[in-house]
Amino acid sequence: MCTVCGCSSGPKIGGKAHAHSHAHAHDHGDLTHARTHEHSHSHAHDHAHGDHDHNHSHGADHDHHHYGQGAAGVSVPGMSQSRLIQIETDILARNNSYAASNRRVLAALQAFAVNLVSSPGSGKTTLLCKTIEALGDQPLAVIEGDQQTSHDAERIRATGARAVQVNTGKGCHLDGHMVGHAMDDLHLAPQSLLFIENVGNLVCPAAFDLGEDAKVAILSVTEGEDKPLKYPDMFTVAKLAILNKTDLAPHCDADLDAYEANLRRINPDITVLRVSARTGEGLAAWLEWLRAGLRVKARS
Amino acid sequence: MHEMSLAEGIRQIIDAQAAAHGFERVTTLRLEIGRFAGVEKPALEFALDVVLRGSSAEGAGIEMIDLPGRALCYDCGETVEIADRLDPCPLCGSGKIMPQGGDEMRIKDMEVI
């Protein structure tokens, strides 16, 4: 269990430390607003795992409340000082509101954003560099998510594209808030492509909406045909799967049809493209998929 | 894996509710977690134990209510309940099913004093 992910050590965006109280409301609809956020961090909780009181209550048989006995939502008689507050709020409501704000900015710009998700080492950054080169003068920008280092943003910038690195620290995923700040820094041009390269992780990023138009799962042919079955959540939420490094398939006995069958078993709606970023095989179909996405945004 | 972030989201909601309703303490917190939500319940419980310290919900009883996984079968067209993500359609046996629910992560309600 990763007990530290997402907590206390705040993310760095473009090298600037960002610590947040999570208590401020802000609106990424204002594209000129940026760079000078003042935040205080209110989650300075200590992690003394091991010597703290582990106080679990599993519901029915503890000394205070006995919900299980009655209809849901009915307070227990004799506990008149207590009251029940109905909440019905999504735990990720705050993330989702940041994502919605990002989505409004992208819609106003008619920009098409993809959230690239995969295991570490699937070839996301190489694919992105080749994609940027092939797209020529198409306006685009990149948000690079990694726990540490700005290596990937530097690789992207070497192609001439604009890139912001977000270091999540201990965090295992990008969230809507981080992406909003990074978008502020990027000053996207109208009808841009925005590539958000998430932290290499096939689990956590599935749950966090960033405001993107599509999640694109990248899977390299060396990872095993059953990977979609092992990590179904990510492949369920992805619109497109790129089966990357197809040039290696003959060397590692990879069965590309089995990869596709397993992807479709998890997600019957998923589009699958076979690509080798190294040789350029299949790249044209991926570029066309991106351009089709841009056209849809331009019409809406 | 992201249970610590979820726990922080829960604390934000509780803090906002405390400010709005002016209660002293949360005694019981009830969460609804879908079967396909990707939440490891013991991990979330551990994270809440840490994150809720110093809040009005420190020490509160945590009840987690499982919500079933639902999926649409692309072959028979029915919405079915499935226990496991990789289960076939219980009606027609097809493997072409798409989750339609069960990814919920909600605070349902809480009892306060």
Side-chain angles (χ1 to χ4, degrees), chain A residues 1 3 5 22 52 54 56-57 65 67 82-83 85 87-89 91 94 204 236 265-266 269, chain B residues 1 4-5 12 21 27-28 43 45-46 49 53 62 74 85-86 98 105 107-112:
Chain A
M1 181 180 74
T3 57
C5 61
H22 303 273
H52 60 276
H54 214 66
H56 294 253
S57 162
H65 314 294
Y67 267 145
S82 71
R83 56 203 164 106
I85 299 180
I87 299 183
E88 304 284 356
T89 300
I91 293 170
R94 185 170 291 263
C204 311
T236 301
R265 181 171 165 206
I266 290 300
D269 292 334
Chain B
M1 282 290 283
M4 193 59 94
S5 297
Q12 285 162 359
H21 294 279
T27 52
T28 303
E45 204 160 358
F46 180 85
D49 185 49
R53 282 190 210 170
I62 311 289
Y74 276 40
R85 183 64 188 80
L86 297 178
M98 191 73 179
M105 293 185 261
I107 302 186
K108 180 173 171 51
D109 55 36
M110 55 193 189
E111 186 162 346
V112 300

Side-chain angles (χ1 to χ4, degrees), chain A residues 42-296:
Chain A
S42 64
H43 296 288
H45 42 264
D46 66 289
H47 288 254
H49 303 172
D51 63 356
H52 60 276
D53 293 332
H54 214 66
N55 195 4
H56 294 253
S57 162
H58 293 282
D61 56 352
H62 285 259
D63 54 353
H64 34 269
H65 314 294
H66 297 272
Y67 267 145
Q69 298 174 345
V74 178
S75 297
V76 178
M79 299 192 65
S80 55
Q81 81 279 24
S82 71
R83 56 203 164 106
L84 192 70
I85 299 180
Q86 297 283 349
I87 299 183
E88 304 284 356
T89 300
D90 196 307
I91 293 170
L92 291 175
R94 185 170 291 263
N95 180 73
N96 294 342
S97 73
Y98 287 126
S101 170
N102 296 344
R103 195 164 272 124
R104 281 194 295 275
V105 173
L106 292 164
L109 290 168
Q110 299 183 326
F112 184 64
V114 290
N115 178 1
L116 303 172
V117 291
S118 80
S119 321
S122 65
K124 287 190 296 298
T125 311
T126 301
L127 176 67
L128 211 39
C129 289
K130 299 284 187 180
T131 302
I132 291 165
E133 284 164 15
L135 283 166
D137 53 8
Q138 161 67 42
L140 58 86
V142 179
I143 297 171
E144 277 290 339
D146 281 300
Q147 286 198 322
Q148 300 291 341
T149 84
S150 57
H151 293 173
D152 281 359
E154 287 157 18
R155 283 177 66 189
I156 299 294
R157 286 190 202 111
T159 67
R162 276 175 312 132
V164 168
Q165 182 78 49
V166 179
N167 283 143
T168 57
K170 302 289 186 204
C172 48
H173 57 269
L174 294 176
D175 63 33
H177 193 188
M178 298 172 191
V179 168
H181 280 297
M183 281 169 56
D184 286 344
D185 282 357
L186 282 168
H187 299 288
L188 287 175
Q191 300 184 8
S192 287
L193 284 171
L194 175 63
F195 297 97
I196 305 166
E197 187 181 327
N198 219 310
V199 177
N201 175 347
L202 273 179
V203 183
C204 311
F208 291 83
D209 185 8
L210 306 180
E212 75 274 358
D213 294 286
K215 286 188 175 69
V216 175
I218 298 165
L219 181 63
S220 60
V221 302
T222 57
E223 294 177 37
E225 288 85 350
D226 56 354
K227 199 151 202 181
L229 307 182
K230 291 173 173 171
Y231 298 93
D233 294 343
M234 190 64 87
F235 297 100
T236 301
V237 294
K239 283 189 186 158
L240 173 71
I242 292 181
L243 197 47
N244 193 23
K245 308 190 189 180
T246 52
D247 54 304
L248 295 181
H251 305 290
C252 50
D253 298 326
D255 181 345
L256 300 184
D257 293 335
Y259 273 104
E260 287 207 23
N262 285 335
L263 284 163
R264 295 216 163 83
R265 181 171 165 206
I266 290 300
N267 179 350
D269 292 334
I270 203 163
T271 302
V272 184
L273 296 177
R274 300 181 183 189
V275 171
S276 166
R278 186 163 159 267
T279 67
E281 181 197 347
L283 206 58
W286 159 234
L287 299 180
E288 182 43 38
W289 186 89
L290 289 167
R291 291 188 182 113
L294 264 177
R295 287 196 292 274
V296 169

